[in-house]
Amino acid sequence: MEYDSGPAIVVSKDNNMDGERAPGHDADALIKPDMPAVLERTNLSVNVQGFLLPVFEALSNSMDGIEQRFDDQASRKGKILVKFENLNDPDKVMISVTDNGVGLNDENYRSFRTPFSGYKLSKRGRGFGRFIAFKVFSRIHYSSRFETAAAEATKTFRFDISQDEEIIFHDGEPDFPGCGLCVELDEPLNDWFDLIGGLSKQDVKDQIGSHFLPYFLYRGLPEILLQFDDEEPENITSYFKAIFVEHAAGQIDTAIDGATCTLNYTLTKIPKTKQFKSHCLLFAAADRIVGHPRDLSNKLGATHFVDEDDSKFIIVAVVRGDAFETRLNDSRTSLDLPPKAVEEIVGAVCDKIQDREKQQIEKIKTGQAQKLNVALHENPILRLGLKGQSLSEYVAKKPNHWGPEEFVQDLALSRYRNTGDLLKQITEAANDPASYAEKIKDLASRIDAGKKEALAEYVIHRKSIIELLDAARKFDDSKKRGSEDEVHSLIFRRFSDSVDIEYFQHNLWLIDDALAFLPYVSSDRTMHGGGRKKGDKVTDLLFYDDTMVLGDEDGTTLTIVEFKKPSRDDYSFGPAKSDPVTQVIDTLEKAIAAGGITRTDGAHMSFERVARRSAFIIADLTPSLIKILKRHNFQNPHDPKIWTHYFDNGEIFIQAFGYDTLVSMAKKRNQAFSKVLLDD
């Protein structure tokens, strides 16, 4: 048995226990030059899970020691005590993990000092667990009693890789009877002080339960007692076994790096709690949960389900498989999985849950249909977008998390496209100039009256908006131009966001039709949602899109639009106040640094792993602006009125064009419909 084997440690020569040499290395080079550097490069999130990771590692090693001592009787005879003293006092907190396993006998002690020994590798360990404790605590102490051929023996020492002698032995007996091992962790690093002050006992208990969920579901566990100070210890093995009861299990196949892999899944129903508050998917490797939970609420259409007794419950899915074991990082905190594979796994698991919870999904779909029916009473013309389907048939094909606004947007788009794919047919007709007029007339004649009326209504609306935009950039009767704020408000109301602005209340299609359907839009608002403060970057328009990929490498997109006063010609290169290119780059960086934005309803939307960023600068192409664009290496090879540049350093794509181009592009998008439907 090995306690989290890793690079061999150099032991105090006074104890005459020099570590075994790794192949091709001198004994003096086994850990000192390498492990502190490896730890320096290892990131550990400053949260409850990160703080408890050394405890999880100690628990895992205790279970290995118990399994070696008691074999198939481990779950019946094994005992582990996890004790927290002075939980919320960083200066006094002490955590100990004590087991009745085989202990650090000579064989295990050699394994402790030997890099990547056979035992731990056979247990799918990485040999890094005991070192991760140094990311949280500065004092780590081991004491063990074990059996030898002659009698019982003990080892008691402090382990500290920052010292010349990493293991410092001392006299003293373990303060527990019989064989076993005790690991003590105290003197936390300063980075953890604030978190320790806010820890709750329930946080600790829930984190242990969630981390070792695979054991509760498909492996046996010894008796694990959790104690705080002098309180009565609680048997959390019994506590969590009563909660984590297998609901369903099976296998799914998915492609990972081009190979088909079979994965095992387990579903469990548990009451909704602070720790488990929404349906989630957990990945398991090396018999523990790794990485962050994947929230399944959107896919399933609800954060939780409600049973016949009106009790709220959630489904927790655990997926594991041999393919995960080889993709586990050294610190055993995450998996190296392609985003596409993660997306496939999420989809497959949600399908299994929906098959199992048909009654719950039916309730969600019924509720969606009822809410959509109310919306259609207010906008009956949108029924044209149903294409002859019933409400239930239409809703059944759409995502479970959609609400009335998403349905209205989808039906509006379907109606706009005229259900007969008129736009595609018009485009195809336009590619044949010789018979263009004849084909357009033929298309118009085949549009039934109801569809033609619906489409014409929308075309007229867009034509009016374009005329307003065109007027806003020109002189009025008093020879004054409209401001950029007028244009801004026409496209999207200032000081608002998509929480309270509905689809028909904005005109984002003037810039790009795709922008109208992104998940979140913020207009003239700070990232913290309050009034503007010194140093704040306020975007004219900010778009957030999280629909690209799923997984540990989640990729999201941030897009901003910056309006400038029509005909402005006093730009200068460099400072953000006078250089719109610098301004949009600074604004994007500030948005990413903020990590998210507070919406108008008070909810916080996080920007996770922003992978794509882009910007539009809408400003008349006056001489001073063109000069700046050229200095920033913008080009206009495809259209002299549209300047573009991709900044490799910041991975930002920016387009710049004038109000005349904005109006012209909007007119072109509406022109074919106007010609066919309005003879305009």
Side-chain angles (χ1 to χ4, degrees):
M1 194 281 299
E2 175 194 21
Y3 285 92
D4 213 351
S5 63
I9 55 177
V10 178
V11 206
S12 169
K13 294 182 173 60
D14 293 339
N15 289 281
N16 197 25
M17 294 182 178
D18 292 334
E20 294 180 0
R21 297 188 180 198
H25 291 78
D26 292 333
D28 292 339
L30 290 177
I31 177 175
K32 280 301 292 178
D34 298 321
M35 191 50 64
V38 171
L39 283 172
E40 184 67 26
R41 296 192 299 268
T42 302
N43 294 319
L44 195 61
S45 298
V46 182
N47 54 25
V48 180
Q49 185 182 31
F51 176 71
L52 293 176
L53 189 57
V55 180
F56 300 156
E57 292 295 337
L59 265 168
S60 179
N61 291 332
S62 288
M63 286 186 268
D64 288 344
I66 288 170
E67 188 175 291
Q68 187 185 8
R69 182 181 183 188
F70 298 113
D71 197 20
D72 58 358
Q73 298 294 310
S75 59
R76 187 172 65 86
K77 294 183 177 181
K79 294 184 184 298
I80 303 173
L81 174 64
V82 183
K83 186 172 183 179
F84 287 77
E85 299 178 54
N86 304 301
L87 175 64
N88 299 121
D89 187 342
D91 293 320
K92 297 180 180 179
V93 66
M94 164 79 80
I95 306 173
S96 61
V97 178
T98 307
D99 64 65
N100 66 340
V102 72
L104 273 178
N105 56 28
D106 290 344
E107 177 187 356
N108 294 333
Y109 183 66
R110 283 195 300 271
S111 188
F112 182 92
R113 296 162 44 204
T114 304
F116 308 112
S117 69
Y119 178 81
K120 200 62 177 182
L121 291 174
S122 72
K123 305 292 286 185
R124 296 169 178 171
R126 288 293 191 274
F128 190 67
R130 69 176 179 274
F131 296 102
I132 203 71
F134 291 101
K135 297 289 289 186
V136 183
F137 300 96
S138 59
R139 182 183 175 276
I140 300 156
H141 188 270
Y142 287 81
S143 57
S144 177
R145 183 179 290 106
F146 52 91
E147 293 180 351
T148 66
E152 285 187 344
T154 63
K155 282 189 179 75
T156 305
F157 58 88
R158 179 173 176 175
F159 180 35
D160 189 348
I161 63 172
S162 68
Q163 302 299 316
D164 291 335
E165 296 179 346
E166 288 86 356
I167 291 183
I168 304 170
F169 284 91
H170 59 81
D171 296 332
E173 291 286 324
D175 59 0
F176 56 87
C179 292
L181 174 69
C182 176
V183 181
E184 294 178 341
L185 308 163
D186 64 342
E187 297 181 13
L189 306 179
N190 291 338
D191 291 347
W192 301 91
F193 275 33
D194 289 342
L195 183 139
I196 291 170
L199 273 177
S200 73
K201 298 174 183 177
Q202 191 64 40
D203 286 338
V204 172
K205 183 164 70 171
D206 287 342
Q207 284 290 339
I208 293 175
S210 61
H211 188 80
F212 291 101
L213 179 58
Y215 279 87
F216 293 108
L217 290 178
Y218 58 83
R219 283 198 58 174
L221 269 177
E223 179 184 87
I224 301 176
L225 300 176
L226 179 62
Q227 184 178 17
F228 295 95
D229 297 313
D230 295 326
E231 296 178 5
E232 189 70 23
E234 179 181 2
N235 188 330
I236 60 173
T237 303
S238 300
Y239 173 80
F240 283 111
K241 275 191 174 180
I243 295 176
F244 298 138
V245 179
E246 183 179 294
H247 175 46
Q251 292 183 328
I252 57 174
D253 291 328
T254 191
I256 302 178
D257 294 333
T260 300
C261 302
T262 298
L263 303 174
N264 299 299
Y265 74 87
T266 304
L267 307 180
T268 181
K269 279 184 179 179
I270 67 172
K272 182 179 178 182
T273 63
K274 179 182 177 182
Q275 176 69 12
F276 292 103
K277 54 188 176 183
S278 62
H279 305 299
C280 64
L281 167 64
L282 304 170
F283 288 157
D287 290 327
R288 68 199 69 200
I289 300 301
V290 293
H292 298 289
R294 270 69 175 180
D295 193 327
L296 303 181
S297 300
N298 271 356
K299 288 276 189 181
L300 297 179
T303 57
H304 61 273
F305 294 148
V306 180
D307 63 18
E308 57 275 7
D309 298 325
D310 288 333
S311 298
K312 297 177 181 178
F313 69 92
I314 67 167
I315 302 294
V316 177
V318 178
V319 177
R320 68 191 191 280
D322 291 339
F324 289 175
E325 304 300 332
T326 57
R327 291 169 170 83
L328 184 63
N329 70 344
D330 284 340
S331 57
R332 287 178 285 183
T333 56
S334 67
L335 293 171
D336 179 19
L337 289 175
K340 185 177 180 181
V342 175
E343 189 173 2
E344 286 185 8
I345 295 169
V346 168
V349 167
C350 285
D351 288 343
K352 297 295 183 183
I353 295 174
Q354 292 185 89
D355 288 343
R356 187 79 183 184
E357 298 291 340
K358 286 188 169 104
Q359 187 176 359
Q360 296 290 338
I361 301 303
E362 187 177 326
K363 285 196 296 185
I364 290 171
K365 289 299 183 185
T366 300
Q368 285 182 311
Q370 291 172 344
K371 292 177 181 178
L372 178 56
N373 192 41
V374 172
L376 291 180
H377 276 300
E378 299 174 359
N379 301 278
I381 200 167
L382 290 177
R383 288 186 180 274
L384 294 171
L386 293 173
K387 303 179 184 179
Q389 303 171 94
S390 68
L391 276 183
S392 58
E393 290 172 334
Y394 168 74
V395 167
K397 299 175 183 177
K398 301 302 178 182
N400 294 340
H401 70 277
W402 273 18
E405 184 174 342
E406 287 84 2
F407 284 120
V408 167
Q409 288 180 359
D410 183 66
L411 290 172
L413 182 61
S414 179
R415 173 191 149 200
Y416 167 58
R417 290 173 175 167
N418 198 26
T419 73
D421 204 4
L422 177 65
L423 180 59
K424 180 180 179 181
Q425 296 178 62
I426 290 175
T427 302
E428 291 174 351
N431 291 330
D432 185 4
S435 58
Y436 176 75
E438 182 181 342
K439 288 185 177 180
I440 290 294
K441 288 179 181 178
D442 178 61
L443 286 172
S445 68
R446 289 189 282 110
I447 302 174
D448 67 53
K451 293 177 182 177
K452 188 171 183 177
E453 179 185 352
L455 190 58
E457 178 187 332
Y458 193 67
V459 169
I460 292 171
H461 164 75
R462 287 175 65 135
K463 186 171 183 289
S464 299
I465 295 299
I466 293 170
E467 290 172 351
L468 286 172
L469 175 63
D470 202 15
R473 70 188 184 94
K474 297 177 180 177
F475 285 133
D476 60 17
D477 293 339
S478 60
K479 298 297 181 181
K480 290 184 178 180
R481 294 185 186 277
S483 68
E484 67 267 30
D485 292 343
E486 293 178 34
V487 176
H488 183 155
S489 296
L490 179 64
I491 294 173
F492 199 101
R493 187 194 305 163
R494 299 182 69 202
F495 313 114
S496 62
D497 64 3
S498 49
V499 171
D500 51 17
I501 300 294
E502 297 181 359
Y503 176 79
F504 292 108
Q505 293 177 301
H506 64 67
N507 298 293
L508 291 170
W509 53 268
L510 286 165
I511 304 174
D512 188 329
D513 281 295
L515 296 178
F517 300 99
L518 294 183
Y520 181 74
V521 186
S522 177
S523 174
D524 244 4
R525 301 179 60 253
T526 62
M527 305 307 293
H528 52 74
R532 187 168 186 174
K533 302 174 184 175
K534 185 176 180 181
D536 281 341
K537 291 287 186 182
V538 178
T539 58
D540 285 347
L541 290 174
L542 180 144
F543 300 87
Y544 171 72
D545 183 8
D546 63 351
T547 60
M548 300 300 292
V549 292
L550 297 170
D552 282 342
E553 291 77 30
D554 285 359
T556 60
T557 300
L558 287 185
T559 302
I560 64 171
V561 177
E562 182 65 32
F563 299 101
K564 292 302 176 185
K565 185 176 181 179
S567 296
R568 177 178 170 181
D569 193 21
D570 62 348
Y571 302 104
S572 59
F573 181 81
K577 288 186 178 181
S578 59
D579 186 335
V581 177
T582 303
Q583 182 182 359
V584 296
I585 292 173
D586 287 354
T587 303
L588 275 170
E589 290 177 348
K590 285 275 190 179
I592 294 167
I597 188 169
T598 300
R599 309 188 324 175
T600 54
D601 61 1
H604 183 77
M605 174 174 286
S606 296
F607 299 156
E608 293 289 342
R609 299 177 178 87
V610 176
R612 293 157 293 277
R613 58 204 79 182
S614 61
F616 293 88
I617 297 172
I618 300 178
D620 286 329
L621 298 175
T622 55
S624 63
L625 180 56
I626 291 177
K627 184 177 180 181
I628 284 176
L629 295 176
K630 288 181 177 180
R631 288 197 64 181
H632 282 290
N633 296 319
F634 277 66
Q635 303 289 327
N636 60 345
H638 304 296
D639 187 331
K641 294 186 177 182
I642 300 177
W643 293 73
T644 63
H645 183 59
Y646 179 76
F647 290 84
D648 291 318
N649 188 31
E651 297 182 341
I652 300 171
F653 178 70
I654 303 177
Q655 300 181 62
F657 52 81
Y659 289 102
D660 56 343
T661 303
L662 180 66
V663 172
S664 174
M665 290 191 299
K667 284 182 176 179
K668 287 178 181 178
R669 286 194 290 267
N670 221 38
Q671 186 176 10
F673 294 107
S674 297
K675 180 67 178 176
V676 172
L677 298 168
L678 308 173
D679 194 28
D680 185 5

